[in-house]
Amino acid sequence: MEKLTSSYYFDYNATSPLSPSVEDYLERGDFLFANPSSQYQLGKKSRSIINNSKDFIFNTFGIDEKFSQLFFHSGATEGINTLLFGAGFKAFKENKKISFYFSPTDHACVVNLKDNLSALGHEVIFMPINSHGEIISKELIKIIKGRSTDRSIINWTWLNNETGVVNALDVAEKIKSETKADIIVDAVQAPGKIADWKELNDKLDAYSFSSHKFGGLKGIGFSFVKDSYDYSPLIIGGGQQNKLRSGTENPMGVYTTELALRDLIKEFSSEKINKMLELKKEFEKLIISTFGKDSIVGLNASKRNVNTINFIIPSIKATLALMAFDLEGIQVSSGSACSSGANIPSRILTALKIDEKLTRSGVRLSFSKDVCAVSPEEKQQLLSKFEEILNRYKK
Ligand code: PLP
């Protein structure tokens, strides 16, 4: 948790503050400005920094470079668009048809591709989910086996950004082994929010990450892709990154991604995970005693992450709740405000078949390992303040 003077930042699923090593690096000012494609020494320095960071990222996730490509892009929106739309575009050029399988709770950068993929002649099918947002694998396998298309591609969101519910990778592996579908994993919310965030399942086809979710800069991310995953690059130009993503590379973005990952590996210890879980439980106890068990979305899912609570305050709209928390210095978010701030029903709560009257009342609280820096007194004050706000809306 970032304590900004007098406020508590609890919106880590939206973005995180810069990691300490990234801040130190920016303060030092030794910036890698040279174009890594340039042949003089400064260019070579940028190139070697990118190559070293790339090796570090491969090693961190235990992915063998022989099997996987790694390319950098802007945020995960671009990475995921490349993998999905890039596959759709390649198939379109080859006169082939793909069935894409999305969860209705996937991020907008997935579900909003539907119209463009349909325009290329592909079909987009929404996967069956239960009331927590877990994929119902048996039903999905049946659906995939019952259709005849040239290829099936599943977008698998590992951790849901709104609810923290985990769809485990071994379930995805089983679906792949039964259906031969390609599975790309939206891994954006994994680093720092689940104990096994580095353990990628190498049976799956691709993984996308976004650096600003774990202490890196905004506008940089990376994807691992297996050689066998068939797609066309989305960004066409000078052929950088083995043509996987053209455009002048971003050495500072890449290097700060490495720095943020190094900090995370050092800091996200099992001791801190336990402390995060403890705090999560304490918040949940207060929510349950005020609004009941049903007010926490996905509470009974098989697996949840360590940092996210999505809960419903039945008597008010989320935008008002957000204001009330904000006035007390607690920054939380809701999935039910559009960019203008207007209160609209949450797409995710609607997909989870939550009573329509409550879909404007969801509040998301998401913290990080930084919460462990809070003293016991501060923690008590925070919990008391939180409880006092909840009690204002108790019926
Ligand atoms: N996927 C998930 C699960 C996310 O939470 C986000 C960002 O909120 C994205 C994809 C897109 O990442 P970015 O905004 O960095 O492009």
Side-chain angles (χ1 to χ4, degrees):
M1 175 184 51
E2 176 78 344
K3 198 157 179 284
L4 303 164
T5 53
S6 63
S7 76
Y8 289 94
Y9 180 72
F10 282 139
D11 199 13
Y12 273 79
N13 290 8
T15 195
S16 60
L18 292 176
S19 197
S21 300
V22 177
E23 278 194 345
D24 285 352
Y25 168 70
L26 294 178
E27 267 168 30
R28 274 202 316 275
D30 178 18
F31 297 144
L32 301 156
F33 75 90
N35 191 322
S37 299
S38 300
Q39 294 307 306
Y40 39 77
Q41 297 223 6
L42 276 177
K44 285 183 177 156
K45 185 176 170 200
S46 289
R47 168 64 56 215
S48 100
I49 292 280
I50 288 180
N51 286 343
N52 290 343
S53 293
K54 214 168 155 176
D55 286 346
F56 174 79
I57 294 171
F58 265 122
N59 290 335
T60 295
F61 290 93
I63 295 253
D64 188 330
E65 197 159 356
K66 286 190 212 95
F67 296 103
S68 290
Q69 306 154 3
L70 163 56
F71 68 96
F72 295 98
H73 38 70
S74 59
T77 298
E78 185 193 321
I80 293 169
N81 268 238
T82 301
L83 296 169
L84 294 173
F85 194 72
F89 189 60
K90 177 127 194 280
F92 168 76
K93 286 187 289 183
E94 294 166 356
N95 227 356
K96 291 180 181 157
K97 201 171 158 190
I98 300 179
S99 297
F100 287 92
Y101 294 87
F102 298 162
S103 165
T105 60
D106 282 341
H107 190 266
C109 72
V110 177
V111 295
N112 288 346
L113 280 174
K114 183 176 185 291
D115 288 350
N116 284 6
L117 292 169
S118 302
L120 296 183
H122 305 301
E123 56 179 352
V124 173
I125 297 145
F126 284 97
M127 298 187 276
I129 55 170
N130 65 17
S131 60
H132 311 308
E134 293 161 315
I135 309 288
I136 307 174
S137 53
K138 263 195 185 155
E139 277 183 36
L140 176 62
I141 290 168
K142 234 197 258 166
I143 294 170
I144 299 175
K145 282 184 168 171
R147 296 183 108 85
S148 62
T149 30
D150 298 315
R151 187 179 174 197
S152 301
I153 300 181
I154 297 172
N155 180 75
W156 191 267
T157 301
W158 189 1
L159 277 76
N160 184 275
N161 49 304
E162 294 295 338
T163 63
V165 168
V166 175
N167 270 293
L169 298 182
D170 54 355
V171 177
E173 181 188 341
K174 186 164 185 310
I175 294 168
K176 184 173 174 70
S177 78
E178 294 229 8
T179 62
K180 308 289 174 259
D182 287 342
I183 302 191
I184 75 144
V185 180
D186 176 344
V188 169
Q189 292 291 342
K193 292 163 189 163
I194 187 173
D196 55 356
W197 63 276
K198 296 197 261 35
E199 281 150 43
L200 308 188
N201 182 316
D202 66 5
K203 300 286 185 299
L204 308 180
D205 297 274
Y207 290 85
S208 293
F209 294 88
S210 195
S211 307
H212 73 98
K213 304 286 184 182
F214 55 84
L217 297 174
K218 289 171 183 55
I220 178 86
F222 58 93
S223 293
F224 294 112
V225 195
K226 273 198 170 169
D227 290 333
S228 51
Y229 184 78
D230 200 23
Y231 71 108
S232 290
L234 199 63
I235 310 287
I236 309 295
Q240 289 91 341
Q241 302 199 62
N242 292 327
K243 298 195 181 151
L244 295 176
R245 200 280 192 183
S246 286
T248 303
E249 288 155 272
N250 176 356
M252 269 178 67
V254 172
Y255 182 54
T256 48
T257 295
E258 173 186 338
L259 293 176
L261 281 173
R262 283 188 187 278
D263 282 350
L264 183 60
I265 292 165
K266 234 182 342 187
E267 292 290 320
F268 194 55
S269 59
S270 48
E271 188 196 336
K272 288 200 173 160
I273 292 173
N274 287 338
K275 276 197 169 171
M276 287 171 76
L277 285 170
E278 249 171 55
L279 181 70
K280 190 178 170 200
K281 256 199 191 139
E282 289 183 78
F283 276 127
E284 288 186 345
K285 219 167 101 188
L286 295 175
I287 296 166
I288 290 170
S289 71
T290 319
F291 303 119
K293 267 198 160 141
D294 290 345
S295 62
I296 299 184
V297 181
L299 184 66
N300 297 317
S302 320
K303 197 169 175 197
R304 297 168 68 210
N305 70 3
V306 300
N307 84 316
T308 308
I309 308 170
N310 191 316
F311 63 101
I312 292 168
I313 302 183
S315 53
I316 55 161
K317 298 213 164 74
T319 40
L320 291 176
L322 254 57
M323 261 191 257
F325 279 108
D326 195 19
L327 285 172
E328 296 293 342
I330 298 175
Q331 267 116 68
V332 292
S333 96
S334 93
S336 53
C338 66
S339 47
S340 68
N343 215 179
I344 54 170
S346 150
R347 178 172 62 80
I348 308 304
L349 299 188
T350 304
L352 297 178
K353 301 203 166 47
I354 283 175
D355 185 339
E356 198 260 325
K357 290 197 289 291
L358 303 175
T359 54
R360 289 179 167 86
S361 301
V363 173
R364 180 185 71 186
L365 189 155
S366 56
F367 48 88
S368 86
K369 60 179 170 35
D370 301 344
V371 81
C372 303
V374 168
S375 70
E377 296 74 37
E378 280 175 321
K379 185 170 139 185
Q380 218 32 63
Q381 276 172 11
L382 170 66
L383 288 167
S384 306
K385 206 184 256 191
F386 188 76
E387 185 178 18
E388 188 270 309
I389 300 168
L390 296 185
N391 276 326
R392 289 182 208 168
Y393 306 109
K394 190 173 179 169
K395 278 219 166 149

